[in-house]
mmCIF file of all heavy atoms in Angstrom:
data_model
loop_
_atom_site.group_PDB
_atom_site.id
_atom_site.type_symbol
_atom_site.label_atom_id
_atom_site.label_comp_id
_atom_site.label_asym_id
_atom_site.label_seq_id
_atom_site.Cartn_x
_atom_site.Cartn_y
_atom_site.Cartn_z
ATOM 1 N N TYR A 94 -7.059 6.541 -12.331
ATOM 2 C CA TYR A 94 -8.167 7.163 -13.064
ATOM 3 C C TYR A 94 -7.718 8.499 -13.666
ATOM 4 O O TYR A 94 -7.968 8.777 -14.845
ATOM 5 C CB TYR A 94 -9.344 7.372 -12.113
ATOM 6 C CG TYR A 94 -10.583 7.962 -12.748
ATOM 7 C CD1 TYR A 94 -11.540 7.144 -13.336
ATOM 8 C CD2 TYR A 94 -10.806 9.341 -12.750
ATOM 9 C CE1 TYR A 94 -12.687 7.678 -13.915
ATOM 10 C CE2 TYR A 94 -11.949 9.889 -13.325
ATOM 11 C CZ TYR A 94 -12.881 9.050 -13.907
ATOM 12 O OH TYR A 94 -14.010 9.588 -14.482
ATOM 13 N N GLN A 95 -7.055 9.316 -12.839
ATOM 14 C CA GLN A 95 -6.592 10.628 -13.320
ATOM 15 C C GLN A 95 -5.547 10.482 -14.416
ATOM 16 O O GLN A 95 -5.540 11.236 -15.389
ATOM 17 C CB GLN A 95 -6.021 11.447 -12.153
ATOM 18 C CG GLN A 95 -7.025 11.852 -11.092
ATOM 19 C CD GLN A 95 -8.007 12.909 -11.578
ATOM 20 O OE1 GLN A 95 -7.854 13.492 -12.648
ATOM 21 N NE2 GLN A 95 -9.035 13.170 -10.786
ATOM 22 N N ASN A 96 -4.639 9.504 -14.264
ATOM 23 C CA ASN A 96 -3.593 9.294 -15.273
ATOM 24 C C ASN A 96 -4.178 8.891 -16.620
ATOM 25 O O ASN A 96 -3.591 9.189 -17.670
ATOM 26 C CB ASN A 96 -2.614 8.200 -14.804
ATOM 27 C CG ASN A 96 -1.655 8.699 -13.743
ATOM 28 O OD1 ASN A 96 -1.395 9.894 -13.636
ATOM 29 N ND2 ASN A 96 -1.129 7.784 -12.944
ATOM 30 N N ASN A 97 -5.325 8.203 -16.603
ATOM 31 C CA ASN A 97 -5.913 7.690 -17.847
ATOM 32 C C ASN A 97 -7.130 8.485 -18.308
ATOM 33 O O ASN A 97 -7.737 8.139 -19.323
ATOM 34 C CB ASN A 97 -6.299 6.227 -17.658
ATOM 35 C CG ASN A 97 -5.097 5.311 -17.526
ATOM 36 O OD1 ASN A 97 -4.510 4.890 -18.513
ATOM 37 N ND2 ASN A 97 -4.711 5.002 -16.293
ATOM 38 N N LEU A 98 -7.462 9.530 -17.579
ATOM 39 C CA LEU A 98 -8.654 10.308 -17.907
ATOM 40 C C LEU A 98 -8.556 10.965 -19.282
ATOM 41 O O LEU A 98 -9.549 11.118 -19.991
ATOM 42 C CB LEU A 98 -8.867 11.381 -16.828
ATOM 43 C CG LEU A 98 -10.198 12.118 -16.796
ATOM 44 C CD1 LEU A 98 -11.368 11.148 -16.748
ATOM 45 C CD2 LEU A 98 -10.248 13.056 -15.587
ATOM 46 N N MET A 99 -7.326 11.343 -19.663
ATOM 47 C CA MET A 99 -7.150 12.038 -20.937
ATOM 48 C C MET A 99 -7.179 11.085 -22.137
ATOM 49 O O MET A 99 -7.215 11.545 -23.275
ATOM 50 C CB MET A 99 -5.832 12.811 -20.937
ATOM 51 C CG MET A 99 -5.801 14.007 -19.980
ATOM 52 S SD MET A 99 -7.148 15.184 -20.252
ATOM 53 C CE MET A 99 -6.815 15.723 -21.926
ATOM 54 N N THR A 100 -7.158 9.786 -21.896
ATOM 55 C CA THR A 100 -7.127 8.833 -23.016
ATOM 56 C C THR A 100 -8.328 9.036 -23.936
ATOM 57 O O THR A 100 -8.178 9.279 -25.138
ATOM 58 C CB THR A 100 -7.102 7.390 -22.486
ATOM 59 O OG1 THR A 100 -5.952 7.207 -21.663
ATOM 60 C CG2 THR A 100 -7.050 6.399 -23.642
ATOM 61 N N MET A 101 -9.531 8.946 -23.391
ATOM 62 C CA MET A 101 -10.730 9.158 -24.202
ATOM 63 C C MET A 101 -11.085 10.634 -24.306
ATOM 64 O O MET A 101 -11.721 11.056 -25.277
ATOM 65 C CB MET A 101 -11.909 8.376 -23.614
ATOM 66 C CG MET A 101 -11.816 6.874 -23.784
ATOM 67 S SD MET A 101 -11.477 6.348 -25.487
ATOM 68 C CE MET A 101 -12.813 7.101 -26.390
ATOM 69 N N THR A 102 -10.660 11.434 -23.317
ATOM 70 C CA THR A 102 -10.946 12.868 -23.387
ATOM 71 C C THR A 102 -10.232 13.498 -24.574
ATOM 72 O O THR A 102 -10.762 14.421 -25.210
ATOM 73 C CB THR A 102 -10.517 13.572 -22.080
ATOM 74 O OG1 THR A 102 -11.119 12.897 -20.977
ATOM 75 C CG2 THR A 102 -10.963 15.022 -22.076
ATOM 76 N N ASN A 103 -9.019 13.012 -24.892
ATOM 77 C CA ASN A 103 -8.313 13.520 -26.075
ATOM 78 C C ASN A 103 -9.121 13.263 -27.347
ATOM 79 O O ASN A 103 -9.208 14.128 -28.224
ATOM 80 C CB ASN A 103 -6.931 12.849 -26.190
ATOM 81 C CG ASN A 103 -5.859 13.568 -25.399
ATOM 82 O OD1 ASN A 103 -5.871 14.789 -25.297
ATOM 83 N ND2 ASN A 103 -4.926 12.818 -24.835
ATOM 84 N N VAL A 104 -9.687 12.068 -27.440
ATOM 85 C CA VAL A 104 -10.512 11.739 -28.615
ATOM 86 C C VAL A 104 -11.749 12.638 -28.654
ATOM 87 O O VAL A 104 -12.131 13.165 -29.708
ATOM 88 C CB VAL A 104 -10.933 10.248 -28.577
ATOM 89 C CG1 VAL A 104 -11.831 9.912 -29.765
ATOM 90 C CG2 VAL A 104 -9.701 9.348 -28.565
ATOM 91 N N LEU A 105 -12.379 12.832 -27.482
ATOM 92 C CA LEU A 105 -13.576 13.678 -27.391
ATOM 93 C C LEU A 105 -13.270 15.127 -27.770
ATOM 94 O O LEU A 105 -14.018 15.762 -28.527
ATOM 95 C CB LEU A 105 -14.141 13.594 -25.968
ATOM 96 C CG LEU A 105 -15.447 14.330 -25.657
ATOM 97 C CD1 LEU A 105 -16.196 13.617 -24.545
ATOM 98 C CD2 LEU A 105 -15.175 15.781 -25.224
ATOM 99 N N PHE A 106 -12.168 15.671 -27.216
ATOM 100 C CA PHE A 106 -11.811 17.067 -27.504
ATOM 101 C C PHE A 106 -11.548 17.285 -28.986
ATOM 102 O O PHE A 106 -11.864 18.353 -29.531
ATOM 103 C CB PHE A 106 -10.571 17.469 -26.698
ATOM 104 C CG PHE A 106 -10.851 17.786 -25.245
ATOM 105 C CD1 PHE A 106 -9.822 17.817 -24.315
ATOM 106 C CD2 PHE A 106 -12.134 18.072 -24.807
ATOM 107 C CE1 PHE A 106 -10.072 18.120 -22.980
ATOM 108 C CE2 PHE A 106 -12.401 18.371 -23.479
ATOM 109 C CZ PHE A 106 -11.365 18.398 -22.563
ATOM 110 N N TYR A 114 -8.414 22.430 -30.628
ATOM 111 C CA TYR A 114 -7.640 21.387 -29.941
ATOM 112 C C TYR A 114 -6.595 20.815 -30.887
ATOM 113 O O TYR A 114 -6.699 19.712 -31.399
ATOM 114 C CB TYR A 114 -8.567 20.282 -29.419
ATOM 115 C CG TYR A 114 -7.954 19.461 -28.302
ATOM 116 C CD1 TYR A 114 -7.650 20.036 -27.078
ATOM 117 C CD2 TYR A 114 -7.679 18.109 -28.475
ATOM 118 C CE1 TYR A 114 -7.096 19.293 -26.050
ATOM 119 C CE2 TYR A 114 -7.134 17.344 -27.447
ATOM 120 C CZ TYR A 114 -6.837 17.956 -26.246
ATOM 121 O OH TYR A 114 -6.278 17.217 -25.227
ATOM 122 N N VAL A 118 -1.948 21.954 -28.245
ATOM 123 C CA VAL A 118 -2.830 22.099 -27.081
ATOM 124 C C VAL A 118 -3.027 20.749 -26.408
ATOM 125 O O VAL A 118 -3.042 20.640 -25.168
ATOM 126 C CB VAL A 118 -4.193 22.708 -27.492
ATOM 127 C CG1 VAL A 118 -5.143 22.745 -26.307
ATOM 128 C CG2 VAL A 118 -3.994 24.106 -28.053
ATOM 129 N N SER A 119 -3.166 19.687 -27.202
ATOM 130 C CA SER A 119 -3.326 18.333 -26.664
ATOM 131 C C SER A 119 -2.126 17.953 -25.799
ATOM 132 O O SER A 119 -2.284 17.434 -24.679
ATOM 133 C CB SER A 119 -3.486 17.328 -27.809
ATOM 134 O OG SER A 119 -3.460 16.008 -27.327
ATOM 135 N N VAL A 122 -2.146 20.084 -22.449
ATOM 136 C CA VAL A 122 -3.084 19.618 -21.425
ATOM 137 C C VAL A 122 -2.624 18.285 -20.838
ATOM 138 O O VAL A 122 -2.673 18.071 -19.618
ATOM 139 C CB VAL A 122 -4.507 19.478 -22.015
ATOM 140 C CG1 VAL A 122 -5.458 18.888 -20.978
ATOM 141 C CG2 VAL A 122 -5.022 20.839 -22.476
ATOM 142 N N SER A 123 -2.145 17.386 -21.704
ATOM 143 C CA SER A 123 -1.701 16.071 -21.234
ATOM 144 C C SER A 123 -0.468 16.188 -20.339
ATOM 145 O O SER A 123 -0.341 15.490 -19.328
ATOM 146 C CB SER A 123 -1.397 15.158 -22.431
ATOM 147 O OG SER A 123 -2.555 14.944 -23.208
ATOM 148 N N ASN A 124 0.460 17.085 -20.702
ATOM 149 C CA ASN A 124 1.701 17.227 -19.946
ATOM 150 C C ASN A 124 1.521 17.995 -18.638
ATOM 151 O O ASN A 124 2.393 17.949 -17.768
ATOM 152 C CB ASN A 124 2.772 17.911 -20.792
ATOM 153 C CG ASN A 124 3.664 16.899 -21.507
ATOM 154 O OD1 ASN A 124 3.562 15.701 -21.268
ATOM 155 N ND2 ASN A 124 4.546 17.380 -22.359
ATOM 156 N N LEU A 126 -0.517 17.390 -16.221
ATOM 157 C CA LEU A 126 -0.557 16.405 -15.142
ATOM 158 C C LEU A 126 0.848 15.899 -14.841
ATOM 159 O O LEU A 126 1.236 15.740 -13.680
ATOM 160 C CB LEU A 126 -1.463 15.242 -15.529
ATOM 161 C CG LEU A 126 -1.746 14.232 -14.409
ATOM 162 C CD1 LEU A 126 -2.822 14.760 -13.474
ATOM 163 C CD2 LEU A 126 -2.177 12.885 -14.988
ATOM 164 N N PHE A 176 -8.978 25.903 -22.091
ATOM 165 C CA PHE A 176 -7.929 24.882 -22.065
ATOM 166 C C PHE A 176 -6.748 25.311 -21.185
ATOM 167 O O PHE A 176 -6.091 24.466 -20.577
ATOM 168 C CB PHE A 176 -7.456 24.554 -23.484
ATOM 169 C CG PHE A 176 -8.404 23.647 -24.234
ATOM 170 C CD1 PHE A 176 -8.833 23.964 -25.511
ATOM 171 C CD2 PHE A 176 -8.877 22.480 -23.657
ATOM 172 C CE1 PHE A 176 -9.706 23.139 -26.205
ATOM 173 C CE2 PHE A 176 -9.747 21.640 -24.329
ATOM 174 C CZ PHE A 176 -10.170 21.973 -25.614
ATOM 175 N N LEU A 179 -7.886 24.566 -17.712
ATOM 176 C CA LEU A 179 -7.824 23.116 -17.530
ATOM 177 C C LEU A 179 -6.376 22.658 -17.331
ATOM 178 O O LEU A 179 -6.098 21.778 -16.507
ATOM 179 C CB LEU A 179 -8.437 22.413 -18.747
ATOM 180 C CG LEU A 179 -8.505 20.875 -18.695
ATOM 181 C CD1 LEU A 179 -9.347 20.408 -17.517
ATOM 182 C CD2 LEU A 179 -9.059 20.329 -20.007
ATOM 183 N N ARG A 183 -5.240 20.747 -14.033
ATOM 184 C CA ARG A 183 -4.657 19.404 -14.149
ATOM 185 C C ARG A 183 -3.272 19.358 -13.510
ATOM 186 O O ARG A 183 -2.847 18.326 -12.992
ATOM 187 C CB ARG A 183 -4.579 18.986 -15.619
ATOM 188 C CG ARG A 183 -5.914 18.694 -16.255
ATOM 189 C CD ARG A 183 -6.507 17.393 -15.790
ATOM 190 N NE ARG A 183 -5.836 16.234 -16.367
ATOM 191 C CZ ARG A 183 -6.031 14.992 -15.969
ATOM 192 N NH1 ARG A 183 -6.865 14.742 -14.964
ATOM 193 N NH2 ARG A 183 -5.399 13.980 -16.544
ATOM 194 N N ALA A 232 -11.615 4.373 -16.081
ATOM 195 C CA ALA A 232 -11.854 5.643 -16.767
ATOM 196 C C ALA A 232 -12.657 5.437 -18.046
ATOM 197 O O ALA A 232 -13.547 6.242 -18.380
ATOM 198 C CB ALA A 232 -10.516 6.333 -17.076
ATOM 199 N N TRP A 252 -17.351 15.160 -20.699
ATOM 200 C CA TRP A 252 -16.006 15.258 -20.124
ATOM 201 C C TRP A 252 -16.031 15.907 -18.739
ATOM 202 O O TRP A 252 -15.240 15.543 -17.857
ATOM 203 C CB TRP A 252 -15.039 15.963 -21.076
ATOM 204 C CG TRP A 252 -15.158 17.454 -21.279
ATOM 205 C CD1 TRP A 252 -15.768 18.087 -22.316
ATOM 206 C CD2 TRP A 252 -14.604 18.482 -20.453
ATOM 207 N NE1 TRP A 252 -15.655 19.452 -22.200
ATOM 208 C CE2 TRP A 252 -14.929 19.725 -21.063
ATOM 209 C CE3 TRP A 252 -13.877 18.498 -19.275
ATOM 210 C CZ2 TRP A 252 -14.554 20.954 -20.521
ATOM 211 C CZ3 TRP A 252 -13.496 19.724 -18.732
ATOM 212 C CH2 TRP A 252 -13.828 20.927 -19.352
ATOM 213 N N PHE A 256 -14.601 14.183 -15.318
ATOM 214 C CA PHE A 256 -13.624 14.864 -14.459
ATOM 215 C C PHE A 256 -14.152 14.970 -13.030
ATOM 216 O O PHE A 256 -13.399 14.812 -12.063
ATOM 217 C CB PHE A 256 -13.325 16.262 -15.007
ATOM 218 C CG PHE A 256 -12.224 16.294 -16.032
ATOM 219 C CD1 PHE A 256 -12.409 15.702 -17.270
ATOM 220 C CD2 PHE A 256 -11.008 16.899 -15.772
ATOM 221 C CE1 PHE A 256 -11.412 15.713 -18.232
ATOM 222 C CE2 PHE A 256 -9.995 16.919 -16.717
ATOM 223 C CZ PHE A 256 -10.196 16.329 -17.954
ATOM 224 N N PHE A 316 3.521 5.735 -20.613
ATOM 225 C CA PHE A 316 2.625 6.876 -20.425
ATOM 226 C C PHE A 316 2.073 7.407 -21.749
ATOM 227 O O PHE A 316 0.845 7.550 -21.884
ATOM 228 C CB PHE A 316 3.316 7.993 -19.646
ATOM 229 C CG PHE A 316 2.346 8.957 -19.024
ATOM 230 C CD1 PHE A 316 1.864 8.743 -17.736
ATOM 231 C CD2 PHE A 316 1.883 10.069 -19.714
ATOM 232 C CE1 PHE A 316 0.942 9.614 -17.159
ATOM 233 C CE2 PHE A 316 0.972 10.946 -19.156
ATOM 234 C CZ PHE A 316 0.504 10.716 -17.863
ATOM 235 N N GLY A 319 -0.427 5.178 -23.040
ATOM 236 C CA GLY A 319 -1.688 5.260 -22.319
ATOM 237 C C GLY A 319 -2.495 6.473 -22.737
ATOM 238 O O GLY A 319 -3.679 6.381 -23.077
ATOM 239 N N VAL A 320 -1.831 7.638 -22.751
ATOM 240 C CA VAL A 320 -2.516 8.889 -23.087
ATOM 241 C C VAL A 320 -3.022 8.881 -24.523
ATOM 242 O O VAL A 320 -4.144 9.306 -24.814
ATOM 243 C CB VAL A 320 -1.568 10.090 -22.860
ATOM 244 C CG1 VAL A 320 -2.182 11.368 -23.415
ATOM 245 C CG2 VAL A 320 -1.269 10.257 -21.372
ATOM 246 N N PHE A 321 -2.191 8.383 -25.449
ATOM 247 C CA PHE A 321 -2.534 8.472 -26.866
ATOM 248 C C PHE A 321 -3.040 7.155 -27.447
ATOM 249 O O PHE A 321 -3.236 7.054 -28.666
ATOM 250 C CB PHE A 321 -1.315 8.942 -27.673
ATOM 251 C CG PHE A 321 -0.891 10.353 -27.354
ATOM 252 C CD1 PHE A 321 0.338 10.604 -26.772
ATOM 253 C CD2 PHE A 321 -1.729 11.425 -27.618
ATOM 254 C CE1 PHE A 321 0.733 11.901 -26.464
ATOM 255 C CE2 PHE A 321 -1.347 12.726 -27.318
ATOM 256 C CZ PHE A 321 -0.110 12.963 -26.741
ATOM 257 N N SER A 322 -3.257 6.145 -26.594
ATOM 258 C CA SER A 322 -3.734 4.870 -27.135
ATOM 259 C C SER A 322 -5.105 5.031 -27.787
ATOM 260 O O SER A 322 -5.409 4.381 -28.795
ATOM 261 C CB SER A 322 -3.789 3.795 -26.039
ATOM 262 O OG SER A 322 -4.630 4.201 -24.975
ATOM 263 N N GLY A 323 -5.941 5.917 -27.209
ATOM 264 C CA GLY A 323 -7.242 6.183 -27.819
ATOM 265 C C GLY A 323 -7.098 6.771 -29.212
ATOM 266 O O GLY A 323 -7.845 6.416 -30.137
ATOM 267 N N VAL A 324 -6.121 7.671 -29.378
ATOM 268 C CA VAL A 324 -5.863 8.275 -30.685
ATOM 269 C C VAL A 324 -5.328 7.219 -31.652
ATOM 270 O O VAL A 324 -5.713 7.179 -32.827
ATOM 271 C CB VAL A 324 -4.860 9.443 -30.547
ATOM 272 C CG1 VAL A 324 -4.531 10.028 -31.914
ATOM 273 C CG2 VAL A 324 -5.414 10.520 -29.630
#
Side-chain angles (χ1 to χ4, degrees):
Y94 182 88
Q95 294 290 350
N96 284 337
N97 291 277
L98 193 53
M99 291 305 298
T100 301
M101 289 309 304
T102 307
N103 273 325
V104 178
L105 184 151
F106 282 163
Y114 201 65
V118 175
S119 172
V122 176
S123 298
N124 266 353
L126 188 80
F176 282 130
L179 182 60
R183 289 287 286 169
W252 73 261
F256 273 68
F316 200 90
V320 171
F321 294 115
S322 58
V324 177

